[in-house]
């Protein structure tokens, strides 16, 4: 029923403007130029503030900023949130069978993609309204008075700027995906996290209510100047480990190596061309088969729950928890908020914050257990959804291998035969990989990371950087050997 309505509305969805795909091969230098140009534009737009915004406004996505990209208070405040949220909603609807689409069929896949594009624009408008009505984006009354316009006009102006920023992110993503290298969404996440890590290392600015600089290296200089030999004591070493950022630095380096190792761990299925003797290849089934995208979906789901909680709190409904800024401090919203550092789960460190001084220890431990469950179980669930809806399942892959003229040596050239062989590996690796990413994210969050990018953000950055390197290598290879474009450009 729902899918029939979608097909009837599809002609209208197709009218939504989109970036045209290149009609011929785009040279590597041109792709690189488009990618770098969009990246520069992205950084420029993150520094364009929303006109008419009151200084008391808060960044509702502050805890998830590394994940959603963009920048609080700028016209890109929404970041990639609408794109991710629309993808989650559609995947859940298809995965639950509410929308019955066979994504192996071209017409169903086209309907899925067109509806997703429409849903992204709906989510841009919805999330912009949420930021306004949750009172995190507050219109400036002085600006309204100076312009001689009602405050409602400034509110509309803020909404319009946020909507335009969200639309720009969508089209910038399309330009990179079609004319550049890799994915625009991945590029924006990598750019934001890389910037946060560099800032977390070298920032000399001293935050409010603190004596030490924000960056790790300047912090070490300050500690050496103020502590001296006392840093060698037990308390001093503990201070250096946690407050000095040494633990965060060690965790960051360890996670980088673990993700690179996991990305390189794979089962390779040998392939041979049925018609061309000597033409051989391999289909790699990586340990992190669904990549780290399931973690984006998990954190995005948590972010949307937190937004709903804040909206209710702003309307005087405190049954689900209370907030200080964008931080939940009690109730179920506190229990569902993500753990980001030792200051979120070690009772003594949590209670060192006056806000949580009276918080029961059982709530602190329960929050950690809930976050661990969400990350691991959510990682498995969304990994399965992603594989099934993105054409990475055994049936779709087997069909692609058969269409490319390849076969598995020793087996008949039959999609069903290839599918049965792939079924031995893909479902198991999907579950193991989803759980492994959840565990790595949990460990990184518990120990802290450089720049407070969160474990999810760090895993995303490393995985995206690794795949971006692979995309660069592939582009250079096809540039040198044009005949390989057909085989390398089509991922089977």
């Amino acid at each position: 029923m729902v899918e029939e309505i979608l097909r009837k509305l599809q002609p209208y969805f197709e009218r939504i403007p989109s970036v045209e795909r290149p009609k011929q091969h785009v040279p590597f230098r041109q792709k690189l130029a488009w990618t770098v140009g969009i990246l520069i534009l992205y950084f420029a737009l993150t520094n364009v503030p929303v006109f008419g915004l009151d200084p008391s406004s808060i960044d509702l996505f502050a805890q998830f900023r590394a994940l959603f990209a963009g920048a609080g208070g700028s016209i890109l405040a929404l970041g990639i949130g609408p794109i991710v949220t629309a993808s989650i909603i559609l995947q859940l609807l298809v995965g639950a069978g509410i929308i019955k689409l066979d994504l192996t069929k071209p017409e169903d896949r086209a309907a899925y993609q067109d509806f997703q594009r429409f849903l992204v624009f709906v989510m841009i408008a919805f999330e912009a309204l949420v930021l306004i009505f949750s009172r995190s984006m507050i219109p400036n009354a002085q600006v309204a008075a100076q312009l001689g316009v009602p405050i409602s006009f400034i509110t509309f102006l803020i909404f319009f700027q946020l909507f335009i920023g969200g639309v720009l992110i969508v089209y910038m993503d399309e330009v990179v995906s079609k004319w550049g290298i890799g994915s625009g969404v991945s590029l924006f996440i990598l750019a934001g996290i890389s910037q946060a890590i560099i800032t977390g290392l070298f920032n000399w600015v001293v935050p409010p209510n603190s004596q030490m600089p924000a960056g790790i290296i300047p912090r070490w200089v300050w500690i050496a100047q103020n502590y001296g030999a006392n840093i060698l004591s037990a308390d001093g070493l503990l201070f250096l480990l946690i407050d000095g950022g040494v633990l965060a630095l060690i965790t960051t380096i360890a996670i980088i190596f673990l993700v690179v190792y996991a990305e390189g761990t794979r089962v390779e299925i040998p392939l041979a061309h049925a018609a061309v003797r000597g033409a051989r290849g391999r289909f790699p089934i990586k340990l992190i088969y669904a990549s780290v995208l399931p973690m984006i979906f998990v954190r995005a789901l948590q972010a949307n729950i937190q937004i709903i909680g804040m909206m209710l709190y702003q309307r005087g409904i405190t049954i689900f928890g209370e907030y200080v800024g964008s931080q939940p401090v009690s109730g179920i919203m506190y229990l569902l908020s993500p753990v980001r550092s030792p200051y979120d789960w070690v009772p003594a460190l949590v209670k060192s914050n006056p806000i949580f001084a009276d918080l029961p220890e059982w709530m602190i431990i329960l929050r950690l257990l809930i976050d661990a469950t969400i990350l691991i179980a959510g990682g498995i669930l969304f990994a399965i959804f992603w594989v099934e809806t993105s054409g990475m399942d055994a049936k779709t892959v087997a069909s692609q291998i058969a269409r490319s003229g390849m076969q598995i040596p020793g087996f008949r050239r039959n999609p069903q035969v290839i599918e049965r062989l792939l079924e031995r590996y893909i479902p198991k690796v999907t579950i193991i990989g989803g759980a492994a990413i959840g565990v790595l994210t949990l460990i990184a969050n518990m120990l802290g990371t450089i720049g407070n990018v969160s474990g999810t953000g760090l895993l995303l950055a490393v995985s995206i950087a690794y795949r971006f390197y692979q995309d660069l290598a592939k582009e250079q290879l096809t540039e040198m050997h044009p005949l390989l474009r057909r085989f390398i450009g089509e991922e089977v």
Side-chain angles (χ1 to χ4, degrees):
M1 180 64 182
V2 179
E3 54 273 14
E4 292 179 3
I5 296 175
L6 291 183
R7 290 193 179 94
K8 290 180 180 179
L9 293 176
Q10 189 176 357
Y12 300 98
F13 297 154
E14 290 175 347
R15 295 180 184 178
I16 299 175
S18 63
V19 176
E20 185 179 1
R21 288 188 178 275
K23 297 180 180 178
Q24 57 186 5
H25 172 69
V26 181
F28 172 73
R29 289 186 178 180
Q30 189 175 341
K31 285 188 174 184
L32 188 61
W34 276 113
T35 305
V36 173
I38 291 296
L39 185 60
I40 293 172
L41 178 61
Y42 167 78
F43 278 122
L45 291 174
T46 56
N47 287 282
V48 178
V50 173
F51 176 77
L53 200 61
D54 193 274
S56 62
S57 300
I58 62 173
D59 184 6
L60 193 61
F61 297 125
Q63 294 186 24
F64 305 91
R65 184 50 67 190
L67 177 64
F68 284 163
S74 76
I75 62 171
L76 298 188
L78 297 179
I80 63 169
I83 300 175
V84 175
T85 305
S87 179
I88 291 174
I89 292 173
L90 201 50
Q91 283 204 42
L92 289 174
L93 291 175
V94 173
I98 298 174
I99 298 179
K100 297 179 181 179
L101 293 175
D102 184 357
L103 299 181
T104 61
K105 297 180 179 179
E107 60 274 13
D108 282 8
R109 184 176 292 275
Y112 179 92
Q113 292 173 345
D114 290 336
F115 181 60
Q116 184 177 22
R117 163 181 282 277
F118 169 75
L119 195 57
V120 167
F121 284 91
V122 172
M123 292 311 302
I124 291 173
F126 175 74
E127 292 191 11
L129 290 173
V130 166
L131 288 181
I132 292 171
F133 287 108
S134 65
R135 299 175 186 172
S136 62
M137 288 283 190
I138 304 173
N140 195 319
Q142 292 183 355
V143 172
Q146 290 173 358
L147 295 177
V149 296
I151 195 72
S152 58
F153 178 79
I154 300 298
T155 302
F156 170 77
L157 199 59
I158 292 173
F159 168 80
F160 180 74
Q161 293 173 85
L162 292 175
F163 185 84
I164 292 298
V167 171
L168 285 173
I169 282 283
V170 172
Y171 287 111
M172 287 161 64
D173 169 49
E174 284 196 19
V175 171
V176 175
S177 301
K178 296 177 180 179
W179 291 85
I181 301 172
S183 160
V185 168
S186 298
L187 182 67
F188 303 146
I189 293 175
L190 179 60
I193 295 173
S194 299
Q195 184 182 33
I197 290 176
I198 293 172
T199 304
L201 279 172
F202 302 106
N203 190 1
W204 289 86
V205 176
V206 178
N209 303 322
S210 177
Q211 296 178 333
M212 298 186 296
I216 289 179
I217 294 178
R219 204 179 303 169
W220 291 349
V221 175
W222 185 91
I223 291 173
Q225 292 174 342
N226 290 272
Y227 274 74
N230 294 331
I231 200 64
L232 299 177
S233 65
D235 292 339
L237 289 175
L238 183 62
F239 176 79
L240 183 63
L241 188 67
I242 297 178
D243 293 301
V246 174
L247 182 60
L249 180 62
I250 294 173
T251 303
T252 302
I253 295 173
I255 291 296
I256 289 173
F257 280 107
L258 284 172
V259 173
V260 171
Y261 173 77
E263 286 281 1
T265 303
R266 64 189 70 188
V267 175
E268 294 186 333
I269 307 296
L271 299 174
H273 202 282
V276 182
R277 181 174 296 180
R280 295 183 176 274
R282 294 180 182 274
F283 176 73
I285 303 177
K286 296 182 179 181
L287 174 61
I288 309 179
Y289 185 65
S291 74
V292 295
L293 287 173
M295 285 299 102
I296 297 183
F297 298 148
V298 171
R299 287 311 195 199
L301 189 59
Q302 281 184 287
N304 285 292
I305 292 173
Q306 293 296 323
I307 290 171
I308 293 172
M310 175 171 282
M311 288 183 64
L312 294 175
Y313 175 70
Q314 294 286 359
R315 294 291 180 270
I317 302 173
T318 60
I319 186 173
F320 298 105
E322 299 179 349
Y323 284 75
V324 173
S326 61
Q327 171 66 48
V329 296
S330 65
I332 190 171
M333 288 301 165
Y334 169 78
L335 295 175
L336 293 176
S337 61
V339 170
R340 295 172 56 86
S341 73
Y343 281 90
D344 288 334
W345 65 277
V346 177
L349 297 177
V350 173
K351 293 190 174 187
S352 65
N353 187 336
I355 298 174
F356 301 111
D358 299 326
L359 194 67
E361 289 190 7
W362 66 266
M363 283 194 69
I364 299 172
I365 302 302
L366 182 59
R367 177 191 180 187
L368 176 62
L369 294 176
I370 290 175
D371 196 43
T373 303
I374 290 174
L375 287 174
I376 298 172
I380 294 172
L381 180 63
F382 280 110
I384 294 172
F385 275 145
W386 178 254
V387 167
E388 291 295 328
T389 58
S390 63
M392 297 172 63
D393 58 293
K395 182 178 180 180
T396 305
V397 170
S399 177
Q400 291 173 343
I401 291 175
R403 286 200 307 268
S404 69
M406 305 294 282
Q407 67 182 61
I408 300 174
F411 293 86
R412 289 185 294 112
R413 187 187 170 188
N414 186 305
Q416 286 74 28
V417 174
I418 300 174
E419 180 184 351
R420 284 197 295 270
L421 180 64
L422 293 177
E423 282 285 356
R424 300 178 189 175
Y425 301 99
I426 290 180
K428 298 181 180 67
V429 171
T430 299
I431 294 173
I432 293 172
I437 284 296
V439 171
L440 284 176
T441 303
L442 177 64
I443 293 172
N445 285 343
M446 289 176 65
L447 301 180
T449 53
I450 297 174
N452 292 324
V453 297
S454 79
T456 310
L458 182 59
L459 263 68
L460 279 171
V462 178
S463 179
I464 290 169
Y466 185 85
R467 290 172 184 257
F468 188 73
Y469 166 78
Q470 290 181 320
D471 288 339
L472 283 174
K474 184 183 75 174
E475 292 293 340
Q476 289 180 317
L477 185 62
T478 56
E479 197 74 13
M480 292 186 294
H481 305 283
L483 292 177
L484 294 176
R485 287 176 196 157
R486 179 181 176 185
F487 298 99
I488 298 180
E490 296 177 3
E491 295 182 4
V492 296

